[in-house]
Amino acid sequence: MPLCSRSVLAILFTFAPQLLAIPLDIKEITDLGVASTASPHGTFGNLSNPEISATGVVASQSINQAPECGAIGSYLRDTPKEWAAARTDAWLDEWWHDNQAGFNRTGGFAQSLGWEYLRDPLWTCRVGGNSDDCDVPACNFPAMTNLSKTNMQASLHVLQSTQNLHGYYMAMQSALKGSGIAAAFGVSDWAWNFYKDKNAISKISLKELVNMATTMVAFFAAWAAPLANSLKILVGGCSAIMAGGFNGVKYKLQEPLANDTPLKAAEIAGKLQTLFHDSLLGLINANDILMAGGNFNGTGDIRDYLAKGAYLNYTGIDEAQVIARYSTLLLSTTINFLYKEQKVWIMGGGPCDDSGGIGKGPQEAKVCRNGKAWYLYFWKEFGGIHLGKKQWGIADSPPGAADLGSGNYANVSIQDIINSSLDAHEVAGLNYTWETFLSRTANQLKEGSFDPTHLGPSWEGLFSIPVCDVGPIVNMTDRNFNKKGVVLTPYGANQVPQWCKPMCANSTGHLDRQTSIDFLNATKMLGFDSFTAYCPQTSMAWPHWYRYGVDVHD
């Protein structure tokens, strides 16, 4: 089953309606420790946590590795190599077998471990507990001084790793809650910047918005974890999001929303803010499940997470980087979501210097790749008579695109949209979905080949705007493809692209009617006649080719 797929969403709506029925008010948000004001640098600019250290790194709590700690001091700097040599996995399995029956009585795995080896009855490592309820002392291990070398080393490995796993979850919580991201997405008017509804009444399906916002939280949790645990946390995070809630916070449940509940564009900002909070709360629940000794949503118990010393010398997350990337990528996927609900597309495939005779695209929205030019378009609709014909609209810049690359949207550019969409198109054509994105990311994590350090909003699939390759038209004559010279146009008044025959190439590089129809359908233009308004009705150009069919010879 694809991660956080539509089928998973069906489970979400069936078994966890609380996820979608919890519009948190400002008081609740403040009570949860979430910033209630947007960043002073702009809605999405330079989101930051004022509590980040000078290095920007929020590490898990660390043990003071002092040389005077005696015998146990020689193990305080151990790495996964020493974990393996000490057979710590086997030691933990044996300890688990001997103690699991008492977890319910003692408060769970962490509390049992803490009492046995630290003589600390409050060592619970729970979210929402005391700030020191998962600390490992510098040298004071009275319950461990008489242990054998094997038991001393292995028990210390597990204590350190448990502390670091807890530190990871607490740092993620701090990064996402304290960043101002939720407040930024809650600004009521930002979504309108990227969505222009000519009738002001259109509604957008909620299901893709839910899929996008919730799984992005899970992905970032996976990204910040040690590589060995990335896939586990990504899978478990999606499931945890569905469970909703953490730390005993109770919500007043309302009637669940249907899977395809329509959402007005004006409601997008508030819904994104709510989904952000609910996704975060559901994900953080993982910590308490694991520390209690439970199996986290089918991904295993804490032994699976600590296996092979994954958290033994884990140094923490770069909180500033998590905040910056999360806000940028969530903004990117949201813009993609809004654009795909409108007549927005990418077209190109001709020479970068526009010498192919198929028109000249908008230079301000251009990417040149492998010698071919690609352009981002939006069909700006308006009613009435235009240019002496009954023509609705012109080719223009997509809503909000002019604001990208600066100000509140400085981290996302038009070129990012084009490059990300082209990469997605190369993978799956017009059928690249959010499930495709997650599946490919999960496979890379599983294979250990995933490297997110260089990825930004141009990452494959964050944008998946429909692409039409009109390159083959370059080699056709105007007689064989009427109005060839205006297949591409710049933006602005009187710019009306004309596609008098099927214009999109298929995967084999040939113009294809079905591929062209699929493109029109993906761009919400199927049955929209404006792009053939000036096409003559001849044997070589039929204005309604997408309805009745026409042969193509390229």
Side-chain angles (χ1 to χ4, degrees):
M1 180 183 298
L3 299 176
C4 292
S5 64
R6 287 186 176 86
S7 55
V8 173
L9 282 174
I11 299 173
L12 182 154
F13 282 96
T14 302
F15 297 106
Q18 62 267 39
L19 174 61
L20 301 177
I22 322 157
L24 301 181
D25 61 27
I26 295 299
K27 181 179 184 301
E28 289 175 306
I29 293 171
T30 304
D31 289 345
L32 291 174
V34 182
S36 59
T37 57
S39 165
H41 303 286
T43 306
F44 301 97
N46 300 318
L47 292 172
S48 63
N49 186 333
E51 297 181 359
I52 296 177
S53 66
T55 62
V57 176
V58 176
S60 54
Q61 303 154 348
S62 61
I63 297 175
N64 180 13
Q65 299 179 354
E68 63 271 15
C69 289
I72 202 169
S74 60
Y75 308 130
L76 290 174
R77 293 183 176 87
D78 278 4
T79 68
K81 180 180 179 180
E82 284 74 38
W83 176 290
R87 302 185 70 248
T88 303
D89 284 323
W91 181 93
L92 179 55
D93 282 338
E94 184 177 348
W95 183 91
W96 187 280
H97 177 77
D98 293 339
N99 291 273
Q100 185 180 19
F103 283 176
N104 291 336
R105 183 181 68 256
T106 61
F109 161 77
Q111 200 159 4
S112 297
L113 187 73
W115 173 246
E116 180 168 351
Y117 294 104
L118 300 176
R119 287 296 182 259
D120 183 353
L122 300 180
W123 206 78
T124 62
C125 300
R126 300 292 183 94
V127 173
N130 296 324
S131 60
D132 59 353
D133 69 359
C134 205
D135 284 354
V136 177
C139 289
N140 186 24
F141 298 92
M144 299 172 64
T145 55
N146 295 323
L147 294 178
S148 66
K149 173 184 178 298
T150 298
N151 285 334
M152 180 183 293
Q153 184 177 22
S155 59
L156 181 60
H157 286 171
V158 176
L159 285 168
Q160 287 179 307
S161 298
T162 301
Q163 179 192 43
N164 289 339
L165 176 62
H166 175 68
Y168 156 78
Y169 279 114
M170 294 301 290
M172 283 298 299
Q173 181 189 29
S174 173
L176 296 179
K177 282 175 56 177
S179 65
I181 295 173
F185 277 96
V187 176
S188 61
D189 60 353
W190 77 267
W192 280 110
N193 198 46
F194 299 97
Y195 185 85
K196 302 301 180 186
D197 173 19
K198 63 186 178 70
N199 297 317
I201 58 173
S202 293
K203 293 187 176 183
I204 297 173
S205 173
L206 177 63
K207 57 187 176 182
E208 288 298 325
L209 183 62
V210 174
N211 208 10
M212 172 203 71
T214 55
T215 54
M216 189 57 80
V217 175
F219 167 75
F220 262 84
W223 169 75
L227 187 58
N229 275 285
S230 294
L231 181 61
K232 188 185 304 296
I233 289 177
L234 180 59
V235 176
C238 291
S239 302
I241 285 163
M242 295 168 201
F246 91 116
N247 194 24
V249 177
K250 302 298 182 183
Y251 300 106
K252 179 181 178 181
L253 301 184
Q254 302 173 3
E255 289 297 317
L257 298 172
N259 193 16
D260 58 353
T261 299
L263 186 70
K264 291 181 180 179
E267 301 169 338
I268 289 173
K271 185 58 65 175
L272 267 179
Q273 186 181 39
T274 299
L275 288 174
F276 173 84
H277 284 297
D278 302 338
S279 301
L280 173 61
L281 300 185
L283 179 61
I284 297 301
N285 191 42
N287 177 88
D288 288 359
I289 292 174
L290 293 172
M291 296 304 166
N295 185 304
F296 178 46
N297 292 294
T299 63
D301 55 46
I302 196 169
R303 291 174 295 171
D304 298 290
Y305 282 70
L306 304 185
K308 299 181 180 180
Y311 282 89
L312 183 56
N313 57 351
Y314 176 63
T315 57
I317 68 172
D318 187 328
E319 183 172 335
Q321 192 175 59
V322 168
I323 292 169
R325 289 189 176 181
Y326 181 85
S327 57
T328 296
L329 299 190
L330 184 55
L331 174 64
S332 299
T333 53
T334 307
I335 294 173
N336 182 60
F337 169 77
L338 293 172
Y339 277 1
K340 291 181 72 172
E341 293 292 327
Q342 305 172 80
K343 294 178 175 64
V344 176
W345 74 94
I346 293 169
M347 183 170 278
C352 288
D353 61 359
D354 289 321
S355 62
I358 56 175
K360 184 176 182 180
Q363 301 305 296
E364 63 269 42
K366 174 181 180 180
V367 163
C368 184
R369 290 187 14 162
N370 301 319
K372 297 181 178 181
W374 302 91
Y375 305 94
L376 180 67
Y377 282 102
F378 167 64
W379 202 289
K380 184 177 181 180
E381 295 183 62
F382 47 80
I385 306 300
H386 178 61
L387 300 180
K389 286 217 175 205
K390 196 172 184 181
Q391 170 65 38
W392 289 268
I394 57 174
D396 205 354
S397 176
D403 297 328
L404 297 175
S406 62
N408 290 336
Y409 314 108
N411 295 327
V412 181
S413 70
I414 290 175
Q415 287 69 35
D416 290 327
I417 296 175
I418 297 174
N419 281 316
S420 175
S421 297
L422 288 175
D423 288 342
H425 188 77
E426 289 177 2
V427 170
L430 296 168
N431 299 311
Y432 197 104
T433 65
W434 188 244
E435 288 90 340
T436 309
F437 171 82
L438 285 171
S439 176
R440 286 177 58 79
T441 300
N443 286 337
Q444 291 173 344
L445 287 169
K446 185 177 181 180
E447 296 165 358
S449 61
F450 180 65
D451 178 12
T453 56
H454 66 286
L455 298 174
S458 61
W459 183 4
E460 172 204 300
L462 285 180
F463 291 95
S464 53
I465 305 302
V467 174
C468 177
D469 180 2
V470 297
I473 302 175
V474 170
N475 297 320
M476 300 176 70
T477 65
D478 190 68
R479 182 178 181 277
N480 286 333
F481 200 102
N482 207 282
K483 301 293 181 182
K484 170 186 174 181
V486 288
V487 170
L488 300 172
T489 69
Y491 293 152
N494 304 334
Q495 300 301 331
V496 186
Q498 293 296 285
W499 308 324
C500 297
K501 295 173 71 171
M503 67 293 180
C504 299
N506 58 21
S507 59
T508 65
H510 296 83
L511 298 185
D512 179 67
R513 179 174 180 267
Q514 188 58 54
T515 300
S516 302
I517 289 174
D518 291 342
F519 167 79
L520 293 176
N521 187 53
T523 56
K524 308 294 189 290
M525 288 195 287
L526 193 60
F528 178 71
D529 296 334
S530 298
F531 54 80
T532 59
Y534 299 99
C535 294
Q537 185 171 325
T538 69
S539 60
M540 291 299 173
W542 183 254
H544 302 298
W545 57 264
Y546 46 92
R547 293 178 177 170
Y548 307 113
V550 64
D551 291 333
V552 178
H553 304 285
D554 61 348

Coordinates of all heavy atoms in Angstrom, one line a residue, residues 124-130 133-134 165-166 169-171 173 177 246-248 281 283-289 291:
T124 N 10.9 8.2 32.8 CA 9.8 7.7 31.9 C 10.1 8.0 30.4 O 9.5 7.4 29.5 CB 8.5 8.3 32.3 OG1 8.5 9.7 32.2 CG2 8.1 7.9 33.7
C125 N 10.8 9.1 30.2 CA 11.1 9.5 28.8 C 9.9 9.8 28.0 O 9.8 9.6 26.8 CB 12.0 8.5 28.1 SG 13.6 8.2 28.8
R126 N 8.8 10.3 28.7 CA 7.6 10.7 28.0 C 7.6 12.1 27.5 O 8.1 13.0 28.2 CB 6.4 10.4 28.9 CG 6.3 9.0 29.4 CD 5.8 8.1 28.3 NE 5.6 6.7 28.8 CZ 4.4 6.2 29.1 NH1 3.4 7.0 29.1 NH2 4.3 5.0 29.5
V127 N 6.8 12.4 26.5 CA 6.6 13.8 26.1 C 5.6 14.4 27.1 O 4.7 13.8 27.5 CB 5.9 13.8 24.7 CG1 5.5 15.3 24.3 CG2 6.9 13.3 23.6
G128 N 5.9 15.6 27.5 CA 5.1 16.2 28.5 C 5.4 15.9 29.9 O 4.8 16.4 30.9
G129 N 6.5 15.1 30.1 CA 6.9 14.8 31.5 C 7.9 15.9 32.0 O 8.0 17.0 31.4
N130 N 8.6 15.6 33.1 CA 9.6 16.6 33.5 C 10.7 16.7 32.6 O 11.0 15.8 31.8 CB 10.1 16.2 34.9 CG 9.0 16.1 36.0 OD1 8.1 17.0 36.0 ND2 9.1 15.2 36.9
D133 N 13.3 13.9 33.0 CA 12.8 12.5 33.2 C 13.4 11.5 32.2 O 13.0 10.3 32.2 CB 11.3 12.4 33.1 CG 10.7 12.7 31.7 OD1 11.5 12.9 30.8 OD2 9.5 12.6 31.6
C134 N 14.4 12.0 31.4 CA 15.1 11.0 30.6 C 16.6 11.3 30.6 O 17.3 10.9 29.7 CB 14.6 11.1 29.1 SG 14.8 9.6 28.1
L165 N 16.9 8.8 21.5 CA 15.6 8.7 20.7 C 14.6 9.7 21.2 O 13.9 10.4 20.5 CB 15.1 7.3 20.8 CG 13.8 7.0 20.1 CD1 13.9 7.3 18.6 CD2 13.3 5.6 20.3
H166 N 14.5 9.8 22.5 CA 13.6 10.7 23.2 C 14.0 12.2 22.8 O 13.1 13.0 22.5 CB 13.6 10.5 24.7 CG 12.8 11.6 25.4 ND1 11.4 11.6 25.3 CD2 13.2 12.6 26.2 CE1 11.0 12.6 26.1 NE2 12.0 13.2 26.7
Y169 N 12.7 13.1 19.3 CA 11.3 13.4 19.2 C 11.0 14.8 19.9 O 10.2 15.6 19.4 CB 10.4 12.4 19.9 CG 10.2 11.2 19.0 CD1 10.7 9.9 19.3 CD2 9.4 11.3 17.9 CE1 10.4 8.8 18.5 CE2 9.2 10.2 17.0 CZ 9.7 9.0 17.3 OH 9.4 7.9 16.5
M170 N 11.7 15.1 21.0 CA 11.5 16.4 21.6 C 12.1 17.5 20.7 O 11.5 18.6 20.7 CB 12.2 16.4 23.0 CG 11.6 15.4 24.0 SD 9.9 15.7 24.3 CE 10.0 17.3 25.2
A171 N 13.2 17.3 20.0 CA 13.7 18.3 19.2 C 12.8 18.6 18.0 O 12.6 19.7 17.5 CB 15.1 17.9 18.7
Q173 N 9.6 18.1 18.0 CA 8.5 18.9 18.5 C 8.8 20.3 18.7 O 8.0 21.2 18.3 CB 8.1 18.3 19.9 CG 6.9 18.9 20.5 CD 6.7 18.5 22.0 OE1 7.6 18.1 22.6 NE2 5.5 18.5 22.4
K177 N 6.8 23.1 16.4 CA 5.9 23.8 17.2 C 6.3 25.3 17.4 O 5.5 26.2 17.3 CB 5.6 23.2 18.6 CG 4.7 22.0 18.5 CD 4.6 21.4 19.9 CE 4.2 22.3 21.0 NZ 4.1 21.6 22.3
F246 N -1.9 13.7 21.2 CA -0.8 13.3 22.0 C -0.8 13.9 23.4 O -1.5 14.9 23.6 CB 0.6 13.5 21.3 CG 1.2 14.8 21.7 CD1 2.4 14.9 22.3 CD2 0.6 16.0 21.4 CE1 3.1 16.1 22.6 CE2 1.2 17.2 21.7 CZ 2.4 17.3 22.3
N247 N -0.1 13.3 24.3 CA 0.1 14.0 25.6 C -1.2 14.3 26.4 O -1.3 15.2 27.1 CB 0.9 15.3 25.5 CG 1.4 15.8 26.8 OD1 1.6 15.0 27.7 ND2 1.7 17.1 26.9
G248 N -2.2 13.4 26.1 CA -3.5 13.6 26.8 C -4.3 14.8 26.4 O -5.3 15.1 27.1
L281 N 0.8 16.6 16.2 CA 0.4 16.0 17.5 C 0.4 14.4 17.3 O 0.8 13.7 18.2 CB -0.9 16.5 18.0 CG -0.9 18.0 18.2 CD1 -2.3 18.4 18.8 CD2 0.2 18.4 19.2
L283 N 2.0 12.6 15.2 CA 3.4 12.1 15.0 C 4.1 12.0 16.3 O 4.8 10.9 16.6 CB 4.1 12.9 14.0 CG 5.6 12.5 13.7 CD1 5.6 11.2 13.1 CD2 6.2 13.5 12.8
I284 N 4.1 13.0 17.1 CA 4.8 13.0 18.4 C 4.3 11.9 19.3 O 5.1 11.4 20.2 CB 4.7 14.4 19.1 CG1 5.3 15.4 18.2 CG2 5.3 14.4 20.4 CD1 6.8 15.2 17.9
N285 N 3.1 11.4 19.1 CA 2.6 10.3 19.9 C 3.5 9.1 19.9 O 3.5 8.2 20.8 CB 1.2 9.9 19.5 CG 0.5 9.0 20.4 OD1 0.5 9.2 21.6 ND2 -0.2 8.0 19.9
A286 N 4.3 9.0 18.8 CA 5.2 7.8 18.7 C 6.1 7.7 19.9 O 6.4 6.6 20.3 CB 6.0 8.0 17.4
N287 N 6.7 8.8 20.4 CA 7.6 8.7 21.5 C 7.0 8.0 22.7 O 7.6 7.0 23.2 CB 8.0 10.1 22.0 CG 8.9 10.1 23.2 OD1 10.1 10.1 23.0 ND2 8.3 10.2 24.4
D288 N 5.8 8.3 23.1 CA 5.2 7.7 24.3 C 4.8 6.3 24.0 O 4.9 5.4 25.0 CB 3.9 8.5 24.7 CG 4.3 9.9 25.3 OD1 5.5 10.2 25.4 OD2 3.3 10.6 25.6
I289 N 4.4 5.9 22.8 CA 4.2 4.5 22.5 C 5.4 3.7 22.7 O 5.4 2.6 23.3 CB 3.6 4.4 21.1 CG1 2.2 5.0 21.1 CG2 3.5 2.9 20.7 CD1 1.6 5.0 19.7
M291 N 8.3 4.4 24.3 CA 8.8 4.4 25.6 C 8.0 3.5 26.6 O 8.5 3.0 27.6 CB 8.9 5.8 26.2 CG 9.8 6.7 25.4 SD 11.5 6.1 25.3 CE 12.2 7.1 24.0

